[in-house]
Amino acid sequence: MDNSSKLAYLDGKGLYYSFLAGARSLLDGQGELNKINVFPVPDADTGSNMASTIRTIIESISPASSYKQTADAIAAAALIGARGNSGVIFAQFLYGLSNETRDVEKISLQAFAESVNRSVQYMYEAVANPVEGTMLSVIRDWADYIYSNHSYFDDFKKLIASSMDAAHESLVATAQRMRQLTHVNVVDAGAKGFVLFLEGILEFIKTGNVRALRSLLESDPVVLPVGSDDHGSLTYRFCTEALIKGESLDKDKLREIVRGFGDSMVIAGSSKTLRLHIHTDDPQKLFEELRSFGTLIFQKADDMQKQYEIAHHRKWKIALVADSSCDLPQDLIDFYQIHLVPINLFFGENHYLDKVTIHPEQFYRMLDLEEHFPRSAQPNDKAFENLYSHLASHYDSIIAVHVVGKLSGTLHSSLMAAERISRETGKKISVFDSRNVSGGLGLTVLKIARSIEEGKEHDEIAAHIPQWVDKTRLLVSVRTLKYLVRGGRVTKMKGFLANLLHMHPIISFDKEGKIYMLEKTFTMKSNMQRVIQLAKDELSRQELDEYMILHAHCETDARWMADQMVEVTGRDPLAVMDISPVIGVHAGPGSLAVAFMVK
């Protein structure tokens, strides 16, 4: 872009590089946005959410000569990548900008001003209860200025420069227009994010420095916040989002379905693709209700309570991360502030988050009723990058332990993300293969959590983890191999022979993390008894540290097994609990397990 000439029209490449410039400014300021995050909840993540939204757009679009084509690409990427309340509102504004633009190669000041003005209504219609003194107000005030004053200018550069006073004045006013902001004397974080975005655009159209923007595509640094202040408490626990696809989707109908589930509702998008954002305490029940509305191709449910606690009431200096195949009682997960990354579950095209938007009872009901057999999919690198970036801003270091690497790509995704975030933040992130699943992984994670509680240093704990992994055993009584076969964990021939001979295998993991058949029986009762005997034999030679009983929707049998283990060990189990749905996919209903760690 020639910064010396008048810019009477904006084409696709001009829009593309202007967007990159705004993105760079917002990414640089994300730490400060997290620090002043008060509304709608003080969970210190507005900057991270807006940055994540921006990153998705940057990674999805490329320069095109057509303004309309570029605007459409930005809007589509924003709808898919929108994260958090501010991210979804911003995405809806971009969608309005795209929808209100005619199919043109380049846009005039008048057409731009008209499209910006009409886009404001898209935001307000998306928000269930619009609150003034937020980014809604600032975007509206800025758009009003553009629309009311564009006729006085013949140059985009001068119009945008002149509009910045209106944006800044509106931003300053947010501190007085909303009680939550006035109380702590800060401006609205989402509104400031939008102003930062505008400032980046202005800087670019003044200088025309494309070279500096291209470096953004090669290096997207993680910016740590300055620190966050405690601005209040939470009303609901989960920041929940969904991307829904279908034909003739009705926003009003969706609004009625979700209205009673929480607050901060925003619905963005079109009749074919909608993005839902809401704060709720029951994401699992919410998504069960949404199944009949459309195809759930993406879900997110961030635990705002945990985000708030680590931002304002962090217990220890080392963060502990696992994935949702880790089975532990929820009270221990909450007490030790363990961060679980949910593994993805799919029934056909419908997407769920293990243990977050689908729980065992619902899972086994769907397993009986759904025509599609469920499949699991690892969290992608981005999910881990977002988490590690957030944790690195609050902890000195991070330890992560995951489901056996030979069965899932989760470990690899975590390792890739850890390497990048560690390199860019300077924070130590150690990732380990548990060579186990379910309660086996859970007991290893609990051992690490207790060591962190005792005040042990990162390197000392990391040095002991391989030993704790070796001392952990999982003995699984499998009712049928059908589900292991369908999940690809056992060959069809082995499954056929086991079914033909009415065999019930006992499986475990070897030292390399491979599944193997330990023994087999011909009745389920003898199988369960044999599991107890195998555990007794091993514990007769080694001292027990901790144990737990796991089951796949068969609590009565699990209670019997727990009673038997009490006789063997002389103590109650840590827990008797349902295995996570993502493990239930492969183990199948009726499976039982004893997980134990020795000293």
Side-chain angles (χ1 to χ4, degrees):
M1 182 180 291
D2 183 359
N3 62 309
S4 63
S5 61
K6 183 172 68 175
L7 187 62
Y9 292 89
L10 190 65
D11 62 11
K13 288 187 177 180
L15 175 61
Y16 172 79
Y17 287 115
S18 295
F19 189 90
L20 286 190
R24 182 178 64 176
S25 177
L26 193 151
L27 289 169
D28 287 346
Q30 64 179 288
E32 180 61 21
L33 299 183
N34 284 339
K35 178 178 171 61
I36 64 172
N37 178 198
V38 174
F39 182 84
V41 291
D43 52 352
D45 69 347
T46 291
S48 299
N49 285 336
M50 293 190 76
S52 179
T53 303
I54 287 290
R55 287 192 195 103
T56 300
I57 299 171
I58 292 173
E59 292 168 0
S60 303
I61 63 175
S62 57
S65 59
S66 165
Y67 178 92
K68 172 62 172 174
Q69 184 179 340
T70 303
D72 287 350
I74 290 172
L79 194 60
I80 292 172
R83 189 178 180 92
N85 191 68
S86 297
V88 177
I89 290 173
F90 186 49
Q92 184 68 351
F93 174 71
L94 294 173
Y95 170 70
L97 202 64
S98 164
N99 211 40
E100 293 297 335
T101 298
R102 292 183 294 109
D103 190 5
V104 293
E105 287 291 306
K106 57 184 181 179
I107 196 168
S108 66
L109 269 76
Q110 179 178 343
F112 175 76
E114 290 173 351
S115 66
V116 165
N117 183 56
R118 289 193 292 264
S119 298
V120 171
Q121 190 61 29
Y122 284 73
M123 294 189 305
Y124 277 86
E125 290 175 352
V127 180
N129 297 296
V131 176
E132 297 302 336
T134 64
M135 71 183 301
L136 288 171
S137 305
V138 174
I139 294 177
R140 185 198 62 213
D141 292 345
W142 174 77
D144 284 348
Y145 181 91
I146 292 288
Y147 182 68
S148 300
N149 293 277
H150 74 273
S151 60
Y152 300 115
F153 297 89
D154 60 358
D155 185 352
F156 269 97
K157 300 175 188 178
K158 293 179 180 178
L159 175 61
I160 298 299
S162 178
S163 73
M164 291 307 299
D165 285 342
H168 283 123
E169 288 173 8
S170 183
L171 174 62
V172 171
T174 63
Q176 306 303 320
R177 298 176 74 176
M178 190 160 44
R179 181 178 55 81
Q180 295 99 314
L181 303 179
T182 304
H183 179 67
V184 292
N185 194 31
V186 296
V187 297
D188 179 66
K192 183 166 185 176
F194 180 72
V195 172
L196 287 174
F197 182 77
L198 292 179
E199 289 174 349
I201 292 175
L202 178 60
E203 180 65 22
F204 168 67
I205 62 176
K206 281 182 175 179
T207 64
N209 189 351
V210 172
R211 186 184 300 275
L213 296 177
R214 285 174 177 155
S215 66
L216 177 65
L217 302 176
E218 301 165 2
S219 176
D220 176 14
V222 175
V223 181
L224 301 185
V226 179
S228 55
D229 301 322
D230 190 344
H231 296 305
S233 58
L234 305 175
T235 305
Y236 294 96
R237 179 161 185 168
F238 293 96
C239 177
T240 307
E241 295 175 14
L243 190 63
I244 309 168
K245 286 202 170 183
E247 295 294 330
S248 302
L249 297 175
D250 187 335
K251 288 184 182 179
D252 290 335
K253 182 179 179 181
L254 177 58
R255 192 172 286 112
E256 286 304 311
I257 291 173
V258 304
R259 189 178 300 279
F261 279 94
D263 63 14
S264 299
M265 186 202 309
V266 183
I267 299 174
S270 66
S271 61
K272 292 188 176 181
T273 305
L274 290 177
R275 183 91 186 200
L276 167 68
H277 170 280
I278 188 170
H279 293 168
T280 182
D281 283 331
D282 198 349
Q284 179 265 329
K285 188 174 181 181
L286 169 65
F287 286 111
E288 191 168 13
E289 289 289 323
L290 290 176
R291 285 175 59 208
S292 60
F293 179 76
T295 302
L296 305 172
I297 63 172
F298 170 80
Q299 298 180 18
K300 178 186 80 71
D302 289 342
D303 190 336
M304 296 186 294
Q305 177 178 309
K306 190 157 289 179
Q307 291 174 342
Y308 179 84
E309 287 176 354
I310 68 168
H312 308 297
H313 306 291
R314 187 197 75 180
K315 292 182 178 180
W316 301 288
K317 63 182 181 180
I318 303 172
L320 180 54
V321 174
D323 55 75
S324 62
S325 72
C326 168
D327 285 322
L328 276 176
Q330 188 62 46
D331 60 339
L332 289 178
I333 291 171
D334 289 340
F335 176 79
Y336 287 109
Q337 297 180 332
I338 299 168
H339 304 271
L340 296 185
V341 178
I343 295 175
N344 301 296
L345 269 176
F346 292 87
F347 276 91
E349 294 183 7
N350 284 298
H351 171 235
Y352 297 91
L353 298 173
D354 185 37
K355 286 184 178 175
V356 180
T357 62
I358 187 168
H359 292 173
E361 184 176 346
Q362 178 194 0
F363 169 75
Y364 291 111
R365 186 168 63 250
M366 292 175 65
L367 195 61
D368 289 335
L369 299 176
E370 291 285 326
E371 62 174 304
H372 299 285
F373 185 74
R375 57 187 174 87
S376 60
Q378 70 201 53
N380 59 27
D381 295 4
K382 182 65 70 176
F384 282 107
E385 285 180 4
N386 288 337
L387 176 62
Y388 290 151
S389 176
H390 183 64
L391 295 179
S393 67
H394 297 289
Y395 288 89
D396 293 354
S397 63
I398 302 167
I399 292 175
V401 191
H402 295 295
V403 58
V404 53
K406 291 187 180 297
L407 294 185
S408 171
T410 301
L411 176 70
H412 178 74
S413 292
S414 179
L415 282 167
M416 294 300 99
E419 181 180 332
R420 175 177 181 254
I421 301 303
S422 180
R423 181 175 64 249
E424 295 179 354
T425 65
K427 296 295 181 73
K428 185 179 294 184
I429 306 177
S430 301
V431 180
F432 294 89
D433 185 346
S434 72
R435 303 201 299 274
N436 223 313
V437 298
S438 187
L441 170 56
L443 291 178
T444 301
V445 169
L446 182 60
K447 189 72 172 181
I448 298 168
R450 287 171 172 169
S451 296
I452 292 173
E453 181 186 23
E454 292 168 3
K456 293 180 180 177
E457 295 297 323
H458 181 111
D459 290 345
E460 180 184 0
I461 296 171
H464 281 94
I465 291 175
Q467 301 170 33
W468 295 332
V469 167
D470 286 341
K471 292 179 178 180
T472 304
R473 289 278 276 158
L474 182 70
L475 304 176
V476 186
S477 168
V478 180
R479 186 172 293 275
T480 173
L481 285 178
K482 177 175 71 173
Y483 297 94
L484 284 167
V485 171
R486 293 181 73 174
R489 286 353 187 208
V490 171
T491 65
K492 290 183 179 180
M493 179 57 70
K494 286 183 178 179
F496 172 76
L497 291 174
N499 183 59
L500 184 67
L501 299 173
H502 303 288
M503 289 193 311
H504 300 280
I506 298 171
I507 63 174
S508 189
F509 292 89
D510 65 18
K511 295 296 184 182
E512 302 301 318
K514 296 179 182 177
I515 290 180
Y516 74 102
M517 188 181 298
L518 191 62
E519 290 191 11
K520 56 184 178 292
T521 64
F522 294 95
T523 68
M524 196 61 191
K525 182 177 180 180
S526 61
N527 187 283
M528 293 162 58
Q529 291 171 336
R530 188 60 188 148
V531 167
I532 298 299
Q533 186 60 49
L534 288 169
K536 182 178 181 179
D537 291 345
E538 291 206 32
L539 293 175
S540 67
R541 301 187 296 270
Q542 302 172 88
E543 185 179 357
L544 176 67
D545 187 325
E546 193 66 86
Y547 81 99
M548 58 193 301
I549 306 296
L550 297 308
H551 66 92
H553 212 48
C554 52
E555 187 172 0
T556 300
D557 288 343
R559 291 294 173 187
W560 176 89
M561 187 170 279
D563 290 341
Q564 301 304 305
M565 284 298 294
V566 169
E567 291 185 14
V568 170
T569 64
R571 55 193 274 196
D572 290 333
L574 174 73
V576 178
M577 61 182 295
D578 234 322
I579 59 175
S580 68
V582 76
I583 301 300
V585 168
H586 306 292
S591 294
L592 292 157
V594 177
F596 59 90
M597 177 182 284
V598 297
K599 293 183 178 179

